[in-house]
Amino acid sequence: MVLKDDEDKGGISERIFVNEDLSRPENRINVALFGLMAQDWFRTWLLFSLGMPENAIVFPPTNVGAQRPDFTIEDPDTGETFGWIEVEVGSDEGQLRRYAESFEEEFGREGCVKSIWGRGGDLSLVCISSRLKSKLDAGTLAPQPGLSVRLLHKLIEQALGEAASTSRPVPVSEQMKDHWLVQALKNRLGDRLDFDLKPAVPGCLKANARGERGFSLRVYSPNASGREVSVLSIRGGAEEVRFASRAHLVRYLADHRAEAISAWCNIVQKIGEKGSNIGVMSVTQVPIRVREPALDEHEAEFAECLVALSRQA
């Protein structure tokens, strides 16, 4: 994107992020989304759907402080920032929470961070895909805009299809079985840690994955639709571990496990980085960097908490 000096009032051309890694589905979608922002009918519809001013412009920013949301929403005349958009094929409540805590305080705008997620968020990719299909079916687009719409529609459908296929549990890979946390669980839990893909049962700690570099530890739930709930997981080999929050466990585990849930919140605080209080979070999972020496010190207590969460009574 090139702007003339007299048109680039906010110095936007210097703040556009251009180094997207196109190996990631979200980033391919982001590039196609940005391309369609040149179509007024699409940009105004998207901004209206997010509760943002329809005359704003949208672009991928360079870092905002130490963070980089996918898009910035700005006034084209004054350069005033209205908000930011984060796009995920799945969802990332922890990242969205961190962005909100940072930007809402710094810019004094409550609700300024918007989410576009695969099947949820403030606006879903499913909804965008449906809007694009309606526009294509109407047959009112010129050839070039029509190609751009077809591209984004195809990218979204592909990404959602891949996400659906990877949502099915698969065996934990040998690579992830060598992960230091998984090794610690295996050593401490022994036969209680079940790597079979059969449904979880009371008293069982079920280990499976949603990809080659993933790991999920699940327990039986009387309330969840799949009769199991994840208590911790690792995504894509990330260093952070995603721990189920108190709110999530209270929702899906029986009342008699309240003591076990409290113990779980306490132990996560002990082994996680400073401020890792999952007891006050309303999100499903909280990404936390685990301190390996702290886990070694509290390994027995951590294992006991997991066993307590798995019990039916």
Side-chain angles (χ1 to χ4, degrees):
M1 179 177 180
V2 179
L3 297 174
K4 296 178 182 178
D5 290 341
D6 60 345
E7 294 175 343
D8 191 10
K9 297 178 180 179
I12 293 173
S13 61
E14 299 299 321
R15 295 184 289 122
I16 291 180
F17 182 75
V18 296
N19 297 315
E20 287 285 13
D21 175 8
L22 297 183
S23 66
R24 298 186 60 206
E26 287 94 346
N27 293 347
R28 294 195 292 273
I29 288 172
N30 286 343
V31 171
L33 267 173
F34 183 46
L36 271 190
M37 294 303 169
Q39 299 295 311
D40 288 342
W41 65 268
F42 179 77
R43 188 187 68 259
T44 56
W45 170 82
L46 183 138
L47 290 169
F48 175 80
S49 300
L50 293 174
M52 288 287 172
E54 296 174 41
N55 66 333
I57 55 174
V58 181
F59 63 93
T62 51
N63 281 19
V64 182
Q67 305 183 87
R68 189 177 63 81
D70 289 316
F71 293 102
T72 290
I73 306 169
E74 281 194 4
D75 186 304
D77 296 318
T78 66
E80 178 185 3
T81 299
F82 295 125
W84 295 266
I85 305 171
E86 184 61 23
V87 180
E88 296 285 345
V89 171
S91 62
D92 194 334
E93 293 173 330
Q95 183 182 58
L96 193 70
R97 171 177 52 80
R98 290 193 297 274
Y99 282 166
E101 290 174 350
S102 175
F103 299 152
E104 287 183 3
E105 179 178 351
E106 181 177 353
F107 291 86
R109 288 184 180 275
E110 185 175 352
C112 61
V113 181
K114 302 297 183 180
S115 58
I116 295 179
W117 288 346
R119 303 182 186 279
D122 297 301
L123 178 64
S124 70
L125 289 174
V126 171
C127 185
I128 292 176
S129 179
S130 177
R131 179 71 179 95
L132 297 176
K133 187 176 186 307
S134 297
K135 194 71 173 180
L136 289 170
D137 291 344
T140 58
L141 291 169
Q144 187 63 56
L147 284 175
S148 296
V149 170
R150 287 186 180 88
L151 172 63
L152 179 54
H153 182 264
K154 184 175 182 179
L155 287 172
I156 291 174
E157 293 302 298
Q158 283 181 342
L160 293 179
E162 291 171 3
S165 66
T166 58
S167 67
R168 293 188 292 270
V170 297
V172 178
S173 68
E174 293 304 315
Q175 175 186 2
M176 288 307 295
K177 284 183 179 179
D178 289 335
H179 189 284
W180 68 269
L181 177 59
V182 181
Q183 284 285 347
L185 292 173
K186 288 167 60 180
N187 293 338
R188 178 61 64 170
L189 294 169
D191 292 340
R192 285 186 177 274
L193 186 60
D194 186 357
F195 287 89
D196 193 282
L197 289 182
K198 294 178 182 178
V201 296
C204 167
L205 288 160
K206 178 68 63 176
N208 56 34
R210 294 298 190 273
E212 183 72 16
R213 301 178 65 206
F215 175 80
S216 180
L217 188 62
R218 297 169 174 266
V219 300
Y220 174 80
S221 165
N223 304 327
S225 58
R227 291 295 184 265
E228 60 183 39
V229 61
S230 174
V231 293
L232 68 84
S233 64
I234 301 169
R235 293 184 182 179
E239 293 184 10
E240 291 181 325
V241 180
R242 306 176 70 87
F243 291 94
S245 67
R246 176 194 292 272
H248 188 62
L249 293 180
V250 166
R251 178 179 179 184
Y252 286 108
L253 298 182
D255 292 341
H256 60 256
R257 279 186 269 188
E259 185 175 338
I261 293 172
S262 294
W264 171 251
C265 294
N266 290 334
I267 191 62
V268 171
Q269 274 192 287
K270 291 179 181 179
I271 67 173
E273 60 189 354
K274 186 178 180 180
S276 304
N277 188 354
I278 61 173
V280 299
M281 301 297 182
S282 60
V283 297
T284 300
Q285 291 184 325
V286 183
I288 293 172
R289 191 178 296 272
V290 175
R291 297 177 294 121
E292 193 168 351
L295 180 64
D296 291 341
E297 181 182 350
H298 299 286
E299 190 177 283
E301 185 182 350
F302 184 59
E304 289 171 6
C305 285
L306 290 170
V307 171
L309 288 174
S310 72
R311 295 192 183 107
Q312 186 175 16

